[in-house]
Amino acid sequence: MDAALSLFGLAQPCQISIALDGAQNRPYVKVLPPNAKGEEKQLPLYGHRDSVSGKVTVSVKEGKALQTLGVRIEFVGTIELLYDRDQNQEFVSLIRELDEPGVITGTKQYAFAFSDVEKAFDTYSGLNVQLRYFLRVTIQRPHTSPDFKKEFDIAVQHTQPEPEINNSIRMEVGIEDVLHIEFDYDRSKYHTTDVVRGWIYFVLAKIKIKRMEIELKRKESAGPAGTNVHNETDTIGKFEVMDGAPVRSEKIPIRLFLSAYDSLTPTYRSVNNIFSVRYFLNLVLVDDADRRYFKQTEITLWRADPETIA
């Protein structure tokens, strides 16, 4: 079934629907609302240069006539700052005129196509910023009558090749003469459904460690250059590595399955000079007095083509 979205306004004499060509053959992806507030959406997925085409149907209620100044459809890509709508930025804006001024009665259908349109960035929905691609149909109305509009979102994702250089991470954490821990992660770059593997080695442990866990954290920085940047960090997930006191020379394996966290995105660095998204692994140790010790390291996430994942 083609993707379609319809809306009736209380005083609106027409119904507008959008059906995308080939939607039944496309994958759909889950997109969470900004700040994870509201219902998630299942959106049809498009690639970097995929054409976006379909049909717009305008149905006027029986016995009614709708006078218009024209019908148009736009393909829009926008970055929306949730804390300051005045700084929203449209980076794609294409228009197709569907109908001339006149009167619409009954049902009228219009084909549209945005061929080979560049979609440079991924769809993103975060704490303070969202990046959207959507179609907007506008029925322009005469005089002071409000225009009738309908928006329909699509999702865009890009895949990346496996990094040629992917060094391991080795770090140490400790308190002089009390605690000395070495830990290794097998790589510094992971695809979004990868497995983080590593080891934690207790060289010295004279304090009583009650538990140890790894947190996966995301840091979002939003704001154009020259403005106040809004930084937000949220914890994507936690993984308990150890429950109980370690002994000297104990070596503890780490296995963190990133596929368990479906909100993961690739690392984004200065998307259109508006926002960035970075990921960190945070090692947390809690002693028997509930004191917490931290060691954080950044990792890079990338999105692999599902067909290339072994």
Side-chain angles (χ1 to χ4, degrees):
M1 180 181 295
D2 279 346
L5 189 64
S6 298
L7 175 67
F8 276 103
L10 291 178
Q12 187 167 312
C14 68
Q15 177 187 10
I16 305 170
S17 64
I18 303 172
L20 297 174
D21 290 339
Q24 70 275 15
N25 298 320
R26 287 192 175 275
Y28 280 66
V29 295
K30 180 172 67 175
V31 177
L32 296 173
N35 220 351
K37 294 180 179 178
E39 295 184 1
E40 65 185 42
K41 298 179 180 179
Q42 293 286 340
L43 301 181
L45 180 61
Y46 285 76
H48 173 54
R49 285 287 186 179
D50 287 351
S51 297
V52 181
S53 63
K55 292 182 176 62
V56 172
T57 301
V58 177
S59 298
V60 178
K61 293 181 180 180
E62 187 176 354
K64 298 286 186 179
L66 182 64
Q67 187 170 357
T68 81
L69 295 179
V71 181
R72 66 171 51 176
I73 186 168
E74 300 166 81
F75 181 82
V76 181
T78 181
I79 298 174
E80 301 172 358
L81 297 175
L82 306 181
Y83 58 87
D84 187 354
R85 300 288 183 178
D86 291 336
Q87 295 194 63
N88 291 352
Q89 182 185 97
E90 286 190 0
F91 57 89
V92 176
S93 181
L94 302 174
I95 299 174
R96 300 286 184 267
E97 299 293 344
L98 301 179
D99 204 353
E100 298 178 346
V103 176
I104 300 175
T105 58
T107 297
K108 200 165 185 179
Q109 198 168 70
Y110 310 93
F112 69 89
F114 295 95
S115 301
D116 196 33
V117 57
E118 182 179 13
K119 299 173 283 297
F121 311 116
D122 283 0
T123 298
Y124 176 74
S125 183
L127 296 174
N128 283 317
V129 60
Q130 67 173 340
L131 191 151
R132 298 173 59 209
Y133 293 91
F134 60 92
L135 296 162
R136 179 166 56 212
V137 177
T138 302
I139 299 177
Q140 299 169 280
R141 300 278 285 135
H143 310 302
T144 58
S145 301
D147 292 343
F148 298 144
K149 296 185 178 183
K150 165 63 63 63
E151 293 182 358
F152 180 70
D153 284 67
I154 67 169
V156 173
Q157 291 182 352
H158 300 77
T159 59
Q160 294 89 30
E162 184 172 355
E164 294 182 4
I165 299 175
N166 198 349
N167 297 321
S168 61
I169 298 174
R170 173 165 291 183
M171 301 184 72
E172 297 183 4
V173 60
I175 303 172
E176 188 174 359
D177 299 326
V178 176
L179 180 68
H180 181 191
I181 301 173
E182 297 175 351
F183 59 96
D184 296 310
Y185 297 116
D186 61 338
R187 285 168 284 157
S188 56
K189 301 172 184 177
Y190 299 89
H191 62 74
T192 53
T193 57
D194 216 334
V195 181
V196 178
R197 296 180 173 88
W199 295 91
I200 297 176
Y201 181 64
F202 284 86
V203 180
L204 178 65
K206 290 186 177 180
I207 59 175
K208 292 182 178 180
I209 302 297
K210 184 165 62 176
R211 71 177 186 275
M212 179 168 55
E213 61 190 22
I214 292 178
E215 298 174 334
L216 178 59
K217 290 184 171 290
R218 173 167 53 206
K219 181 179 179 181
E220 177 189 281
S221 301
T227 66
N228 291 330
V229 175
H230 284 64
N231 294 309
E232 293 281 356
T233 300
D234 61 324
T235 300
I236 302 298
K238 296 181 180 181
F239 172 73
E240 188 171 76
V241 178
M242 181 192 70
D243 185 9
V247 296
R248 182 179 178 180
S249 300
E250 185 172 3
K251 193 174 183 180
I252 299 173
I254 298 171
R255 299 288 186 276
L256 179 61
F257 293 85
L258 299 181
S259 59
Y261 309 109
D262 56 10
S263 65
L264 288 183
T265 69
T267 295
Y268 299 130
R269 303 190 187 279
S270 193
V271 176
N272 220 35
N273 295 317
I274 298 293
F275 73 95
S276 299
V277 179
R278 300 161 64 195
Y279 289 90
F280 298 86
L281 293 174
N282 193 34
L283 180 66
V284 182
L285 289 83
V286 182
D287 67 15
D288 59 353
D290 285 329
R291 291 182 294 244
R292 298 168 69 87
Y293 307 88
F294 303 92
K295 189 68 173 182
Q296 184 169 269
T297 184
E298 184 173 4
I299 61 172
T300 299
L301 296 186
W302 55 283
R303 179 176 286 115
D305 185 336
E307 295 183 0
T308 66
I309 299 175

